[in-house]
Amino acid sequence: MHSHHSHSGQFCKHAAGTLQEVVLEAIRQGFEVYGLSEHVPRFRQIDLYPEEEGLTLDQLSSQFEQFLVEAHRLKALYAPQIRLLVGLETEFITSLDLESLDALLQEHQGQVEYIVGSAHHLNGTPIDFDRPTFEKAVESVDGSSAFLCAYFDAQYEVVRRFHPEVVGHLDLCRLYNPTLQFSQFPEALERAKRNILYAIEYGALFEINAAALRKNWETPYPGVDMLQIILQHGGRLALSDDSHGPHAVGLNYGRLPGYLERAGVADLWFLEYSETPNGYGRHVRAVKMEQNWATHPFWSRLS
């Protein structure tokens, strides 16, 4: 089985454990492909999280470079047991993040094999840190519709500029309101559809992200309405645990088959390393699971 989105406490201060511990747990559980995708560093001191207090921007940048070195060491070390992919998860707080990511990708070309394209902020405020900061982000614009529209506009800028191989937690904007229906916000819904169609056109995978299930959702990201739009337009799906330490590797994966079956998902995809770079200069390609995903022996090991 596969996961394309993960973090470790070694390189992400709101996660736990070392990167090696995450990899060893993925091996123990029988993952065949596991993506290592630490957050790209932030580029303004004001954007650091409380747990990063005392770190400098240079230290954050050095931490990310150390992640790339360690991830590639582990990839080689454990190659007989698991196929590791080395990537990153985007941030978009201001235009500086996008410009700096352009430079980072140039500097580390060949080391960053894929991108998880995500948006976590609105008007400089994180939307997934806790409810008070989420509410602050909503209050920074003119109501819920404007908030949702701004989120999808930020997401669109990320996918348009970087063409991430994996679109991360598509509907994170309703993290604290999981029953919200985008049909009640037609302008936001149109923006979400625009993003989905654009990502489908260039060949992205949309992650089925199990992390929502540990955040009191009844479903993974994306919710049913967004998943149906992806499927109706021929979008391709991949699995992610979005783990933040070894304790969360594969967490709630056992709840994914029921969700996928109810939605009528026929195929799952995963990324694999490719010697030949893709159209965006990164060394992965998307592959469809040959075996019927529903009968994969991984699921029986979870029961």
Side-chain angles (χ1 to χ4, degrees):
M1 199 45 67
H2 324 103
S3 176
H4 297 82
H5 185 168
S6 67
H7 305 278
S8 72
Q10 186 174 357
F11 301 109
C12 173
K13 298 304 182 188
H14 60 267
T18 67
L19 194 63
Q20 186 163 16
E21 288 168 342
V22 169
V23 170
L24 289 173
E25 180 60 20
I27 292 171
R28 188 191 71 80
Q29 292 190 28
F31 278 90
E32 299 154 294
V33 174
Y34 203 82
L36 309 176
S37 58
E38 299 289 7
H39 292 282
V40 72
R42 263 86 11 81
F43 300 97
R44 301 188 307 170
Q45 200 73 33
I46 194 174
D47 296 326
L48 271 59
Y49 288 101
E51 64 268 18
E52 295 170 327
E53 184 177 356
L55 289 178
T56 67
L57 297 181
D58 286 344
Q59 286 172 319
L60 269 186
S61 179
S62 176
Q63 177 178 275
F64 183 78
E65 291 173 357
Q66 292 167 25
F67 155 67
L68 292 177
V69 171
E70 176 66 355
H72 280 282
R73 183 186 76 85
L74 296 172
K75 176 176 179 171
L77 178 64
Y78 294 110
Q81 297 162 271
I82 193 169
R83 286 172 283 165
L84 296 176
L85 299 172
V86 182
L88 60 79
E89 184 178 14
T90 63
E91 298 286 0
F92 178 21
I93 307 170
T94 71
S95 60
L96 176 61
D97 296 281
L98 306 184
E99 295 159 8
S100 299
L101 180 53
D102 272 328
L104 184 149
L105 291 171
Q106 284 292 325
E107 181 181 356
H108 298 289
Q109 193 167 20
Q111 289 181 287
V112 177
E113 297 168 348
Y114 77 106
I115 292 176
V116 178
S118 303
H120 304 93
H121 293 74
L122 185 64
N123 289 338
T125 302
I127 65 172
D128 62 341
F129 183 72
D130 57 25
R131 182 175 283 277
T133 51
F134 172 83
E135 297 294 346
K136 179 181 176 183
V138 174
E139 291 167 4
S140 73
V141 293
D142 187 19
S144 295
S145 179
F147 167 75
L148 297 172
C149 288
Y151 170 81
F152 285 119
D153 284 345
Q155 185 183 74
Y156 183 64
E157 187 64 18
V158 169
V159 298
R160 185 193 64 80
R161 185 155 179 169
F162 297 106
H163 300 92
E165 287 77 11
V166 177
V167 177
H169 37 59
L170 178 71
D171 50 354
L172 183 69
C173 54
R174 57 179 170 187
L175 170 60
Y176 293 104
N177 189 8
T179 60
L180 179 147
Q181 294 298 305
F182 290 112
S183 59
Q184 299 174 0
F185 302 93
E187 292 183 4
L189 180 59
E190 286 307 307
R191 283 169 165 81
K193 289 179 179 177
R194 171 201 62 191
N195 297 4
I196 289 169
L197 291 173
Y198 186 88
I200 289 173
E201 184 177 2
Y202 75 77
L205 304 181
F206 297 86
E207 66 173 6
I208 301 296
N209 183 321
L213 294 165
R214 60 178 164 83
K215 299 183 179 183
N216 299 316
W217 279 40
E218 293 298 318
T219 73
Y221 307 114
V224 175
D225 51 353
M226 290 292 100
L227 178 57
Q228 288 304 319
I229 293 171
I230 294 168
L231 294 174
Q232 287 163 10
H233 292 91
R236 304 184 298 179
L237 305 174
L239 302 183
S240 293
D241 60 18
D242 197 356
S243 62
H244 280 62
H247 64 285
V249 170
L251 185 63
N252 288 312
Y253 257 43
R255 297 173 63 184
L256 298 183
Y259 181 62
L260 298 173
E261 289 172 349
R262 289 190 297 273
V265 172
D267 299 313
L268 288 177
W269 295 69
F270 63 94
L271 295 178
E272 71 174 13
Y273 180 80
S274 171
E275 289 288 346
T276 304
N278 61 23
Y280 310 105
R282 297 185 290 269
H283 287 265
V284 291
R285 63 181 179 182
V287 179
K288 185 168 73 171
M289 287 184 66
E290 293 183 2
Q291 179 180 354
N292 181 340
W293 66 262
T295 61
H296 194 285
F298 179 87
W299 306 120
S300 62
R301 291 197 293 270
L302 295 179
S303 58

